[in-house]
Amino acid sequence: SQQGEEDPQALSIQEGENATMNCSYKTSINNLQWYRQNSGRGLVHLILIRSNEREKHSGRLRVTLDTSKKSSSLLITASRAADTASYFCAGGTSYGKLTFGQGTILTVHP
Amino acid sequence: SQTIHQWPATLVQPVGSPLSLECTVEGTSNPNLYWYRQAAGRGLQLLFYSVGIGQISSEVPQNLSASRPQDRQFILSSKKLLLSDSGFYLCAWSVRLVLGSGEGYTFGSGTRLTVV
């Protein structure tokens, strides 16, 4: 079963704008992770936030986690055309298992 | 450095034929290993995971099986493929975890399987 639901399903913005993607999950998690996938390729790990953390930064990425609402958001600041990809959230549970959402397709126009 | 190899990149197989996809990890020991399937570029579905040699847990009842004959080798198999087995198969590894902690996965480049 899918753990997360991303919102929006697709996002189209101009270069330089910020992109915000949201994720909701259903069951308890140990951590929440975000991945990026370029078309037809494997996924690349972007950032992990633990269940006892509320906000985390990595370069142009900012992720928040609200365990009371079972939701997370990923913000990409000053987006670039190279950020065009699908972005997935995934809830981490026992034995390191990840349950993925359906993903957000981000298109950044130059 | 750790690397993960997955092959082949693409595969076209007839219905009823067998399947064997292999995944190997280098540069680490005792990894957790995972097989995922992705349909139509959307969400990933966990198929199998393994925390050690010969230890396989199945998440979804299906026409597939997995084996881990060596610490860093994970194999996905089928005796007879179905049309519904078509998809993008991804292998991944993570460090052996302490309960409550978490680390990101490293994914292979995937195998696109088309059953015809």
Side-chain angles (χ1 to χ4, degrees), chain A residues 2 31 33 35 37 41-43 45 50 88 95-98 101-103 105, chain B residues 32 34 36 38 42-44 46 49 59 88 90 97 102-105 107-108:
Chain A
Q2 296 299 327
N31 60 76
Q33 303 183 29
Y35 288 81
Q37 183 181 36
R41 308 292 296 275
L43 280 73
H45 179 251
R50 303 192 191 285
F88 295 88
Y95 299 106
K97 291 188 294 181
L98 289 182
Q102 293 297 311
I105 300 172
Chain B
N32 281 7
Y34 311 87
Y36 280 84
Q38 185 180 33
R42 300 305 284 175
L44 280 72
L46 178 62
Y49 71 95
E59 290 292 298
F88 191 47
L90 290 153
L97 299 175
E103 296 289 341
Y105 283 14
F107 279 86

PDB file of all heavy atoms in Angstrom, chain A residues 2 31 33 35 37 41-43 45 50 88 95-98 101-103 105, chain B residues 32 34 36 38 42-44 46 49 59 88 90 97 102-105 107-108:
ATOM      1  N   GLN A   2       0.380   2.315  -0.548  1.00  0.00           N
ATOM      2  CA  GLN A   2       1.121   3.548  -0.594  1.00  0.00           C
ATOM      3  C   GLN A   2       0.980   4.286   0.728  1.00  0.00           C
ATOM      4  O   GLN A   2      -0.097   4.423   1.278  1.00  0.00           O
ATOM      5  CB  GLN A   2       0.603   4.413  -1.750  1.00  0.00           C
ATOM      6  CG  GLN A   2       0.821   3.796  -3.116  1.00  0.00           C
ATOM      7  CD  GLN A   2       2.287   3.574  -3.435  1.00  0.00           C
ATOM      8  OE1 GLN A   2       3.146   4.320  -3.024  1.00  0.00           O
ATOM      9  NE2 GLN A   2       2.589   2.499  -4.148  1.00  0.00           N
ATOM     10  N   ASN A  31      11.124   8.135  10.135  1.00  0.00           N
ATOM     11  CA  ASN A  31      11.698   9.259   9.420  1.00  0.00           C
ATOM     12  C   ASN A  31      10.912   9.468   8.129  1.00  0.00           C
ATOM     13  O   ASN A  31      10.139   8.605   7.702  1.00  0.00           O
ATOM     14  CB  ASN A  31      13.184   9.020   9.115  1.00  0.00           C
ATOM     15  CG  ASN A  31      13.406   7.789   8.259  1.00  0.00           C
ATOM     16  OD1 ASN A  31      13.170   7.812   7.061  1.00  0.00           O
ATOM     17  ND2 ASN A  31      13.849   6.706   8.879  1.00  0.00           N
ATOM     18  N   GLN A  33      11.584  10.730   4.119  1.00  0.00           N
ATOM     19  CA  GLN A  33      12.664  10.987   3.168  1.00  0.00           C
ATOM     20  C   GLN A  33      12.092  11.522   1.864  1.00  0.00           C
ATOM     21  O   GLN A  33      10.956  11.224   1.498  1.00  0.00           O
ATOM     22  CB  GLN A  33      13.438   9.688   2.902  1.00  0.00           C
ATOM     23  CG  GLN A  33      13.996   9.061   4.168  1.00  0.00           C
ATOM     24  CD  GLN A  33      14.806   7.824   3.904  1.00  0.00           C
ATOM     25  OE1 GLN A  33      15.415   7.672   2.854  1.00  0.00           O
ATOM     26  NE2 GLN A  33      14.843   6.919   4.886  1.00  0.00           N
ATOM     27  N   TYR A  35      13.045  11.899  -2.325  1.00  0.00           N
ATOM     28  CA  TYR A  35      13.878  11.394  -3.410  1.00  0.00           C
ATOM     29  C   TYR A  35      13.515  12.115  -4.689  1.00  0.00           C
ATOM     30  O   TYR A  35      12.392  12.600  -4.866  1.00  0.00           O
ATOM     31  CB  TYR A  35      13.659   9.878  -3.604  1.00  0.00           C
ATOM     32  CG  TYR A  35      14.251   9.032  -2.525  1.00  0.00           C
ATOM     33  CD1 TYR A  35      13.586   8.854  -1.318  1.00  0.00           C
ATOM     34  CD2 TYR A  35      15.478   8.407  -2.695  1.00  0.00           C
ATOM     35  CE1 TYR A  35      14.129   8.096  -0.307  1.00  0.00           C
ATOM     36  CE2 TYR A  35      16.030   7.629  -1.692  1.00  0.00           C
ATOM     37  CZ  TYR A  35      15.353   7.482  -0.498  1.00  0.00           C
ATOM     38  OH  TYR A  35      15.892   6.728   0.494  1.00  0.00           O
ATOM     39  N   GLN A  37      13.751  11.669  -9.028  1.00  0.00           N
ATOM     40  CA  GLN A  37      13.928  10.715 -10.111  1.00  0.00           C
ATOM     41  C   GLN A  37      13.864  11.456 -11.432  1.00  0.00           C
ATOM     42  O   GLN A  37      12.849  12.078 -11.746  1.00  0.00           O
ATOM     43  CB  GLN A  37      12.861   9.624 -10.075  1.00  0.00           C
ATOM     44  CG  GLN A  37      13.033   8.561 -11.150  1.00  0.00           C
ATOM     45  CD  GLN A  37      11.955   7.501 -11.111  1.00  0.00           C
ATOM     46  OE1 GLN A  37      10.798   7.798 -10.819  1.00  0.00           O
ATOM     47  NE2 GLN A  37      12.311   6.256 -11.400  1.00  0.00           N
ATOM     48  N   ARG A  41      15.151   6.846 -14.833  1.00  0.00           N
ATOM     49  CA  ARG A  41      16.343   6.543 -14.060  1.00  0.00           C
ATOM     50  C   ARG A  41      15.996   6.073 -12.662  1.00  0.00           C
ATOM     51  O   ARG A  41      14.842   6.070 -12.248  1.00  0.00           O
ATOM     52  CB  ARG A  41      17.235   7.797 -13.970  1.00  0.00           C
ATOM     53  CG  ARG A  41      17.548   8.446 -15.303  1.00  0.00           C
ATOM     54  CD  ARG A  41      18.448   7.581 -16.159  1.00  0.00           C
ATOM     55  NE  ARG A  41      19.754   7.383 -15.567  1.00  0.00           N
ATOM     56  CZ  ARG A  41      20.768   8.231 -15.715  1.00  0.00           C
ATOM     57  NH1 ARG A  41      20.618   9.314 -16.426  1.00  0.00           N
ATOM     58  NH2 ARG A  41      21.930   7.971 -15.144  1.00  0.00           N
ATOM     59  N   GLY A  42      17.043   5.681 -11.925  1.00  0.00           N
ATOM     60  CA  GLY A  42      16.844   5.327 -10.532  1.00  0.00           C
ATOM     61  C   GLY A  42      16.613   6.560  -9.678  1.00  0.00           C
ATOM     62  O   GLY A  42      16.809   7.687 -10.117  1.00  0.00           O
ATOM     63  N   LEU A  43      16.184   6.335  -8.433  1.00  0.00           N
ATOM     64  CA  LEU A  43      15.923   7.450  -7.532  1.00  0.00           C
ATOM     65  C   LEU A  43      17.193   7.877  -6.812  1.00  0.00           C
ATOM     66  O   LEU A  43      18.056   7.060  -6.508  1.00  0.00           O
ATOM     67  CB  LEU A  43      14.869   7.053  -6.492  1.00  0.00           C
ATOM     68  CG  LEU A  43      13.416   7.105  -6.964  1.00  0.00           C
ATOM     69  CD1 LEU A  43      13.101   5.958  -7.908  1.00  0.00           C
ATOM     70  CD2 LEU A  43      12.476   7.098  -5.772  1.00  0.00           C
ATOM     71  N   HIS A  45      18.543   9.923  -3.396  1.00  0.00           N
ATOM     72  CA  HIS A  45      18.155  10.418  -2.079  1.00  0.00           C
ATOM     73  C   HIS A  45      18.523  11.890  -1.943  1.00  0.00           C
ATOM     74  O   HIS A  45      19.653  12.295  -2.237  1.00  0.00           O
ATOM     75  CB  HIS A  45      18.869   9.598  -1.004  1.00  0.00           C
ATOM     76  CG  HIS A  45      18.572  10.033   0.383  1.00  0.00           C
ATOM     77  ND1 HIS A  45      19.492  10.675   1.179  1.00  0.00           N
ATOM     78  CD2 HIS A  45      17.453   9.918   1.133  1.00  0.00           C
ATOM     79  CE1 HIS A  45      18.951  10.939   2.349  1.00  0.00           C
ATOM     80  NE2 HIS A  45      17.713  10.474   2.350  1.00  0.00           N
ATOM     81  N   ARG A  50      14.110  13.167  10.611  1.00  0.00           N
ATOM     82  CA  ARG A  50      13.691  12.182  11.597  1.00  0.00           C
ATOM     83  C   ARG A  50      12.391  12.627  12.269  1.00  0.00           C
ATOM     84  O   ARG A  50      12.047  13.813  12.255  1.00  0.00           O
ATOM     85  CB  ARG A  50      14.792  11.959  12.625  1.00  0.00           C
ATOM     86  CG  ARG A  50      16.098  11.537  11.988  1.00  0.00           C
ATOM     87  CD  ARG A  50      17.128  11.041  12.965  1.00  0.00           C
ATOM     88  NE  ARG A  50      18.438  10.887  12.338  1.00  0.00           N
ATOM     89  CZ  ARG A  50      18.762   9.886  11.516  1.00  0.00           C
ATOM     90  NH1 ARG A  50      17.871   8.956  11.245  1.00  0.00           N
ATOM     91  NH2 ARG A  50      19.966   9.829  10.981  1.00  0.00           N
ATOM     92  N   PHE A  88       9.615  12.308  -4.898  1.00  0.00           N
ATOM     93  CA  PHE A  88       8.835  11.362  -4.104  1.00  0.00           C
ATOM     94  C   PHE A  88       9.153  11.521  -2.620  1.00  0.00           C
ATOM     95  O   PHE A  88      10.321  11.657  -2.250  1.00  0.00           O
ATOM     96  CB  PHE A  88       9.163   9.920  -4.494  1.00  0.00           C
ATOM     97  CG  PHE A  88       8.769   9.552  -5.892  1.00  0.00           C
ATOM     98  CD1 PHE A  88       9.627   9.762  -6.955  1.00  0.00           C
ATOM     99  CD2 PHE A  88       7.521   8.984  -6.140  1.00  0.00           C
ATOM    100  CE1 PHE A  88       9.261   9.421  -8.250  1.00  0.00           C
ATOM    101  CE2 PHE A  88       7.147   8.637  -7.435  1.00  0.00           C
ATOM    102  CZ  PHE A  88       8.024   8.860  -8.481  1.00  0.00           C
ATOM    103  N   TYR A  95      12.883  -1.944  10.033  1.00  0.00           N
ATOM    104  CA  TYR A  95      13.843  -2.594   9.143  1.00  0.00           C
ATOM    105  C   TYR A  95      14.228  -1.709   7.961  1.00  0.00           C
ATOM    106  O   TYR A  95      14.669  -2.204   6.931  1.00  0.00           O
ATOM    107  CB  TYR A  95      13.304  -3.930   8.631  1.00  0.00           C
ATOM    108  CG  TYR A  95      13.034  -4.901   9.745  1.00  0.00           C
ATOM    109  CD1 TYR A  95      11.727  -5.182  10.125  1.00  0.00           C
ATOM    110  CD2 TYR A  95      14.068  -5.518  10.421  1.00  0.00           C
ATOM    111  CE1 TYR A  95      11.471  -6.055  11.164  1.00  0.00           C
ATOM    112  CE2 TYR A  95      13.820  -6.391  11.461  1.00  0.00           C
ATOM    113  CZ  TYR A  95      12.525  -6.656  11.824  1.00  0.00           C
ATOM    114  OH  TYR A  95      12.268  -7.516  12.854  1.00  0.00           O
ATOM    115  N   GLY A  96      14.046  -0.405   8.119  1.00  0.00           N
ATOM    116  CA  GLY A  96      14.439   0.498   7.055  1.00  0.00           C
ATOM    117  C   GLY A  96      13.513   0.496   5.864  1.00  0.00           C
ATOM    118  O   GLY A  96      13.828   1.091   4.840  1.00  0.00           O
ATOM    119  N   LYS A  97      12.374  -0.162   5.985  1.00  0.00           N
ATOM    120  CA  LYS A  97      11.459  -0.184   4.857  1.00  0.00           C
ATOM    121  C   LYS A  97      10.913   1.212   4.576  1.00  0.00           C
ATOM    122  O   LYS A  97      10.594   1.960   5.480  1.00  0.00           O
ATOM    123  CB  LYS A  97      10.286  -1.121   5.141  1.00  0.00           C
ATOM    124  CG  LYS A  97      10.661  -2.590   5.174  1.00  0.00           C
ATOM    125  CD  LYS A  97       9.439  -3.464   5.264  1.00  0.00           C
ATOM    126  CE  LYS A  97       8.725  -3.280   6.575  1.00  0.00           C
ATOM    127  NZ  LYS A  97       7.532  -4.152   6.673  1.00  0.00           N
ATOM    128  N   LEU A  98      10.827   1.538   3.300  1.00  0.00           N
ATOM    129  CA  LEU A  98      10.259   2.804   2.879  1.00  0.00           C
ATOM    130  C   LEU A  98       8.974   2.561   2.121  1.00  0.00           C
ATOM    131  O   LEU A  98       8.910   1.666   1.279  1.00  0.00           O
ATOM    132  CB  LEU A  98      11.229   3.567   1.977  1.00  0.00           C
ATOM    133  CG  LEU A  98      12.484   4.157   2.613  1.00  0.00           C
ATOM    134  CD1 LEU A  98      13.286   4.905   1.564  1.00  0.00           C
ATOM    135  CD2 LEU A  98      12.128   5.069   3.773  1.00  0.00           C
ATOM    136  N   GLY A 101       5.172   7.648  -1.766  1.00  0.00           N
ATOM    137  CA  GLY A 101       3.995   8.279  -2.328  1.00  0.00           C
ATOM    138  C   GLY A 101       4.009   8.194  -3.840  1.00  0.00           C
ATOM    139  O   GLY A 101       4.909   7.593  -4.440  1.00  0.00           O
ATOM    140  N   GLN A 102       3.006   8.810  -4.462  1.00  0.00           N
ATOM    141  CA  GLN A 102       2.860   8.729  -5.915  1.00  0.00           C
ATOM    142  C   GLN A 102       3.736   9.719  -6.653  1.00  0.00           C
ATOM    143  O   GLN A 102       3.911   9.607  -7.861  1.00  0.00           O
ATOM    144  CB  GLN A 102       1.396   8.954  -6.301  1.00  0.00           C
ATOM    145  CG  GLN A 102       0.463   7.841  -5.846  1.00  0.00           C
ATOM    146  CD  GLN A 102       0.810   6.524  -6.504  1.00  0.00           C
ATOM    147  OE1 GLN A 102       0.988   6.436  -7.708  1.00  0.00           O
ATOM    148  NE2 GLN A 102       0.939   5.482  -5.691  1.00  0.00           N
ATOM    149  N   GLY A 103       4.279  10.701  -5.967  1.00  0.00           N
ATOM    150  CA  GLY A 103       5.216  11.608  -6.595  1.00  0.00           C
ATOM    151  C   GLY A 103       4.609  12.882  -7.142  1.00  0.00           C
ATOM    152  O   GLY A 103       3.411  12.943  -7.443  1.00  0.00           O
ATOM    153  N   ILE A 105       5.454  15.641 -10.231  1.00  0.00           N
ATOM    154  CA  ILE A 105       6.258  15.906 -11.416  1.00  0.00           C
ATOM    155  C   ILE A 105       6.509  17.407 -11.478  1.00  0.00           C
ATOM    156  O   ILE A 105       5.575  18.200 -11.635  1.00  0.00           O
ATOM    157  CB  ILE A 105       5.538  15.428 -12.698  1.00  0.00           C
ATOM    158  CG1 ILE A 105       5.271  13.921 -12.605  1.00  0.00           C
ATOM    159  CG2 ILE A 105       6.368  15.765 -13.927  1.00  0.00           C
ATOM    160  CD1 ILE A 105       4.389  13.397 -13.728  1.00  0.00           C
TER     161      ILE A 105
ATOM    162  N   ASN B  32      21.079  -3.780   4.112  1.00  0.00           N
ATOM    163  CA  ASN B  32      19.689  -4.152   3.855  1.00  0.00           C
ATOM    164  C   ASN B  32      19.474  -4.004   2.345  1.00  0.00           C
ATOM    165  O   ASN B  32      19.962  -3.037   1.753  1.00  0.00           O
ATOM    166  CB  ASN B  32      18.735  -3.220   4.595  1.00  0.00           C
ATOM    167  CG  ASN B  32      18.611  -3.561   6.065  1.00  0.00           C
ATOM    168  OD1 ASN B  32      19.319  -4.411   6.590  1.00  0.00           O
ATOM    169  ND2 ASN B  32      17.700  -2.886   6.731  1.00  0.00           N
ATOM    170  N   TYR B  34      16.659  -4.271  -1.048  1.00  0.00           N
ATOM    171  CA  TYR B  34      15.247  -4.104  -1.366  1.00  0.00           C
ATOM    172  C   TYR B  34      15.017  -4.235  -2.875  1.00  0.00           C
ATOM    173  O   TYR B  34      15.861  -3.836  -3.690  1.00  0.00           O
ATOM    174  CB  TYR B  34      14.759  -2.708  -0.951  1.00  0.00           C
ATOM    175  CG  TYR B  34      15.120  -2.301   0.461  1.00  0.00           C
ATOM    176  CD1 TYR B  34      16.338  -1.691   0.725  1.00  0.00           C
ATOM    177  CD2 TYR B  34      14.250  -2.532   1.523  1.00  0.00           C
ATOM    178  CE1 TYR B  34      16.690  -1.317   2.018  1.00  0.00           C
ATOM    179  CE2 TYR B  34      14.588  -2.162   2.818  1.00  0.00           C
ATOM    180  CZ  TYR B  34      15.807  -1.553   3.053  1.00  0.00           C
ATOM    181  OH  TYR B  34      16.146  -1.188   4.339  1.00  0.00           O
ATOM    182  N   TYR B  36      12.004  -2.991  -5.518  1.00  0.00           N
ATOM    183  CA  TYR B  36      10.797  -2.208  -5.705  1.00  0.00           C
ATOM    184  C   TYR B  36      10.349  -2.325  -7.166  1.00  0.00           C
ATOM    185  O   TYR B  36      11.167  -2.566  -8.063  1.00  0.00           O
ATOM    186  CB  TYR B  36      11.043  -0.726  -5.412  1.00  0.00           C
ATOM    187  CG  TYR B  36      11.042  -0.365  -3.950  1.00  0.00           C
ATOM    188  CD1 TYR B  36      12.183  -0.514  -3.177  1.00  0.00           C
ATOM    189  CD2 TYR B  36       9.896   0.151  -3.331  1.00  0.00           C
ATOM    190  CE1 TYR B  36      12.182  -0.169  -1.833  1.00  0.00           C
ATOM    191  CE2 TYR B  36       9.888   0.495  -1.992  1.00  0.00           C
ATOM    192  CZ  TYR B  36      11.033   0.330  -1.259  1.00  0.00           C
ATOM    193  OH  TYR B  36      11.030   0.673   0.077  1.00  0.00           O
ATOM    194  N   GLN B  38       8.034  -0.054 -10.019  1.00  0.00           N
ATOM    195  CA  GLN B  38       7.400   1.227 -10.299  1.00  0.00           C
ATOM    196  C   GLN B  38       6.598   1.094 -11.579  1.00  0.00           C
ATOM    197  O   GLN B  38       7.119   0.678 -12.615  1.00  0.00           O
ATOM    198  CB  GLN B  38       8.445   2.323 -10.454  1.00  0.00           C
ATOM    199  CG  GLN B  38       7.866   3.716 -10.629  1.00  0.00           C
ATOM    200  CD  GLN B  38       8.946   4.761 -10.768  1.00  0.00           C
ATOM    201  OE1 GLN B  38      10.015   4.501 -11.327  1.00  0.00           O
ATOM    202  NE2 GLN B  38       8.692   5.968 -10.260  1.00  0.00           N
ATOM    203  N   ARG B  42       5.209   6.293 -11.662  1.00  0.00           N
ATOM    204  CA  ARG B  42       4.581   6.824 -10.452  1.00  0.00           C
ATOM    205  C   ARG B  42       5.207   6.186  -9.219  1.00  0.00           C
ATOM    206  O   ARG B  42       6.389   5.900  -9.194  1.00  0.00           O
ATOM    207  CB  ARG B  42       3.070   6.589 -10.531  1.00  0.00           C
ATOM    208  CG  ARG B  42       2.413   7.267 -11.726  1.00  0.00           C
ATOM    209  CD  ARG B  42       2.691   8.749 -11.777  1.00  0.00           C
ATOM    210  NE  ARG B  42       1.884   9.466 -10.808  1.00  0.00           N
ATOM    211  CZ  ARG B  42       2.011  10.774 -10.587  1.00  0.00           C
ATOM    212  NH1 ARG B  42       2.913  11.457 -11.219  1.00  0.00           N
ATOM    213  NH2 ARG B  42       1.238  11.379  -9.703  1.00  0.00           N
ATOM    214  N   GLY B  43       4.413   5.967  -8.177  1.00  0.00           N
ATOM    215  CA  GLY B  43       4.962   5.524  -6.907  1.00  0.00           C
ATOM    216  C   GLY B  43       5.583   4.145  -6.959  1.00  0.00           C
ATOM    217  O   GLY B  43       5.285   3.330  -7.822  1.00  0.00           O
ATOM    218  N   LEU B  44       6.482   3.906  -6.014  1.00  0.00           N
ATOM    219  CA  LEU B  44       7.179   2.636  -5.943  1.00  0.00           C
ATOM    220  C   LEU B  44       6.473   1.701  -4.967  1.00  0.00           C
ATOM    221  O   LEU B  44       6.031   2.115  -3.897  1.00  0.00           O
ATOM    222  CB  LEU B  44       8.619   2.845  -5.461  1.00  0.00           C
ATOM    223  CG  LEU B  44       9.628   3.307  -6.489  1.00  0.00           C
ATOM    224  CD1 LEU B  44       9.389   4.752  -6.867  1.00  0.00           C
ATOM    225  CD2 LEU B  44      11.039   3.129  -5.960  1.00  0.00           C
ATOM    226  N   LEU B  46       7.034  -1.660  -2.705  1.00  0.00           N
ATOM    227  CA  LEU B  46       8.026  -2.567  -2.143  1.00  0.00           C
ATOM    228  C   LEU B  46       7.610  -4.008  -2.400  1.00  0.00           C
ATOM    229  O   LEU B  46       6.491  -4.418  -2.064  1.00  0.00           O
ATOM    230  CB  LEU B  46       8.173  -2.329  -0.636  1.00  0.00           C
ATOM    231  CG  LEU B  46       9.145  -3.237   0.111  1.00  0.00           C
ATOM    232  CD1 LEU B  46      10.570  -3.067  -0.420  1.00  0.00           C
ATOM    233  CD2 LEU B  46       9.099  -2.955   1.608  1.00  0.00           C
ATOM    234  N   TYR B  49      12.288  -7.389   0.795  1.00  0.00           N
ATOM    235  CA  TYR B  49      13.441  -6.823   1.454  1.00  0.00           C
ATOM    236  C   TYR B  49      14.168  -7.926   2.199  1.00  0.00           C
ATOM    237  O   TYR B  49      13.597  -8.976   2.524  1.00  0.00           O
ATOM    238  CB  TYR B  49      13.075  -5.660   2.380  1.00  0.00           C
ATOM    239  CG  TYR B  49      12.344  -6.034   3.642  1.00  0.00           C
ATOM    240  CD1 TYR B  49      13.026  -6.241   4.841  1.00  0.00           C
ATOM    241  CD2 TYR B  49      10.961  -6.138   3.652  1.00  0.00           C
ATOM    242  CE1 TYR B  49      12.348  -6.559   6.001  1.00  0.00           C
ATOM    243  CE2 TYR B  49      10.275  -6.454   4.804  1.00  0.00           C
ATOM    244  CZ  TYR B  49      10.968  -6.662   5.976  1.00  0.00           C
ATOM    245  OH  TYR B  49      10.295  -6.976   7.128  1.00  0.00           O
ATOM    246  N   GLU B  59       6.520  -8.533   0.619  1.00  0.00           N
ATOM    247  CA  GLU B  59       5.524  -7.535   0.988  1.00  0.00           C
ATOM    248  C   GLU B  59       4.207  -7.719   0.250  1.00  0.00           C
ATOM    249  O   GLU B  59       3.164  -7.342   0.745  1.00  0.00           O
ATOM    250  CB  GLU B  59       6.055  -6.128   0.719  1.00  0.00           C
ATOM    251  CG  GLU B  59       7.160  -5.703   1.661  1.00  0.00           C
ATOM    252  CD  GLU B  59       6.655  -5.511   3.081  1.00  0.00           C
ATOM    253  OE1 GLU B  59       5.805  -4.641   3.304  1.00  0.00           O
ATOM    254  OE2 GLU B  59       7.122  -6.258   3.978  1.00  0.00           O
ATOM    255  N   PHE B  88       9.000  -1.145 -14.103  1.00  0.00           N
ATOM    256  CA  PHE B  88      10.363  -0.693 -13.877  1.00  0.00           C
ATOM    257  C   PHE B  88      10.773  -1.217 -12.506  1.00  0.00           C
ATOM    258  O   PHE B  88      10.179  -0.856 -11.493  1.00  0.00           O
ATOM    259  CB  PHE B  88      10.392   0.837 -13.927  1.00  0.00           C
ATOM    260  CG  PHE B  88      11.764   1.440 -13.973  1.00  0.00           C
ATOM    261  CD1 PHE B  88      12.735   0.959 -14.844  1.00  0.00           C
ATOM    262  CD2 PHE B  88      12.084   2.513 -13.160  1.00  0.00           C
ATOM    263  CE1 PHE B  88      14.003   1.524 -14.906  1.00  0.00           C
ATOM    264  CE2 PHE B  88      13.353   3.090 -13.208  1.00  0.00           C
ATOM    265  CZ  PHE B  88      14.310   2.594 -14.074  1.00  0.00           C
ATOM    266  N   LEU B  90      13.444  -1.744  -9.487  1.00  0.00           N
ATOM    267  CA  LEU B  90      14.559  -1.028  -8.870  1.00  0.00           C
ATOM    268  C   LEU B  90      15.065  -1.787  -7.656  1.00  0.00           C
ATOM    269  O   LEU B  90      14.298  -2.205  -6.799  1.00  0.00           O
ATOM    270  CB  LEU B  90      14.118   0.365  -8.438  1.00  0.00           C
ATOM    271  CG  LEU B  90      13.848   1.344  -9.581  1.00  0.00           C
ATOM    272  CD1 LEU B  90      12.842   2.394  -9.172  1.00  0.00           C
ATOM    273  CD2 LEU B  90      15.146   1.994 -10.019  1.00  0.00           C
ATOM    274  N   LEU B  97      20.331  -1.154   9.946  1.00  0.00           N
ATOM    275  CA  LEU B  97      19.807  -0.099  10.803  1.00  0.00           C
ATOM    276  C   LEU B  97      19.640  -0.535  12.248  1.00  0.00           C
ATOM    277  O   LEU B  97      19.327  -1.671  12.529  1.00  0.00           O
ATOM    278  CB  LEU B  97      18.450   0.356  10.286  1.00  0.00           C
ATOM    279  CG  LEU B  97      18.446   0.930   8.881  1.00  0.00           C
ATOM    280  CD1 LEU B  97      17.027   1.230   8.462  1.00  0.00           C
ATOM    281  CD2 LEU B  97      19.286   2.175   8.833  1.00  0.00           C
ATOM    282  N   GLY B 102      17.507   5.805  10.834  1.00  0.00           N
ATOM    283  CA  GLY B 102      17.160   5.721   9.425  1.00  0.00           C
ATOM    284  C   GLY B 102      18.251   6.302   8.566  1.00  0.00           C
ATOM    285  O   GLY B 102      18.939   7.236   8.952  1.00  0.00           O
ATOM    286  N   GLU B 103      18.420   5.735   7.436  1.00  0.00           N
ATOM    287  CA  GLU B 103      19.372   6.242   6.461  1.00  0.00           C
ATOM    288  C   GLU B 103      18.722   6.188   5.098  1.00  0.00           C
ATOM    289  O   GLU B 103      17.820   5.406   4.849  1.00  0.00           O
ATOM    290  CB  GLU B 103      20.642   5.373   6.450  1.00  0.00           C
ATOM    291  CG  GLU B 103      21.437   5.390   7.737  1.00  0.00           C
ATOM    292  CD  GLU B 103      22.128   6.713   7.973  1.00  0.00           C
ATOM    293  OE1 GLU B 103      22.282   7.468   6.999  1.00  0.00           O
ATOM    294  OE2 GLU B 103      22.489   6.986   9.135  1.00  0.00           O
ATOM    295  N   GLY B 104      19.196   7.038   4.208  1.00  0.00           N
ATOM    296  CA  GLY B 104      18.648   7.026   2.867  1.00  0.00           C
ATOM    297  C   GLY B 104      19.056   5.793   2.094  1.00  0.00           C
ATOM    298  O   GLY B 104      20.065   5.156   2.394  1.00  0.00           O
ATOM    299  N   TYR B 105      18.251   5.468   1.131  1.00  0.00           N
ATOM    300  CA  TYR B 105      18.556   4.366   0.229  1.00  0.00           C
ATOM    301  C   TYR B 105      19.486   4.842  -0.888  1.00  0.00           C
ATOM    302  O   TYR B 105      19.448   6.005  -1.283  1.00  0.00           O
ATOM    303  CB  TYR B 105      17.287   3.892  -0.467  1.00  0.00           C
ATOM    304  CG  TYR B 105      16.327   3.037   0.291  1.00  0.00           C
ATOM    305  CD1 TYR B 105      16.388   2.880   1.665  1.00  0.00           C
ATOM    306  CD2 TYR B 105      15.315   2.383  -0.384  1.00  0.00           C
ATOM    307  CE1 TYR B 105      15.478   2.107   2.331  1.00  0.00           C
ATOM    308  CE2 TYR B 105      14.396   1.597   0.275  1.00  0.00           C
ATOM    309  CZ  TYR B 105      14.479   1.465   1.635  1.00  0.00           C
ATOM    310  OH  TYR B 105      13.559   0.688   2.294  1.00  0.00           O
ATOM    311  N   PHE B 107      19.791   3.694  -4.761  1.00  0.00           N
ATOM    312  CA  PHE B 107      19.087   2.908  -5.767  1.00  0.00           C
ATOM    313  C   PHE B 107      19.992   2.548  -6.927  1.00  0.00           C
ATOM    314  O   PHE B 107      20.907   3.311  -7.286  1.00  0.00           O
ATOM    315  CB  PHE B 107      17.896   3.692  -6.323  1.00  0.00           C
ATOM    316  CG  PHE B 107      16.670   3.641  -5.459  1.00  0.00           C
ATOM    317  CD1 PHE B 107      16.505   4.546  -4.429  1.00  0.00           C
ATOM    318  CD2 PHE B 107      15.690   2.685  -5.667  1.00  0.00           C
ATOM    319  CE1 PHE B 107      15.383   4.507  -3.613  1.00  0.00           C
ATOM    320  CE2 PHE B 107      14.557   2.634  -4.860  1.00  0.00           C
ATOM    321  CZ  PHE B 107      14.404   3.545  -3.830  1.00  0.00           C
ATOM    322  N   GLY B 108      19.719   1.386  -7.516  1.00  0.00           N
ATOM    323  CA  GLY B 108      20.310   1.045  -8.787  1.00  0.00           C
ATOM    324  C   GLY B 108      19.624   1.814  -9.897  1.00  0.00           C
ATOM    325  O   GLY B 108      18.661   2.548  -9.661  1.00  0.00           O
TER     326      GLY B 108
END
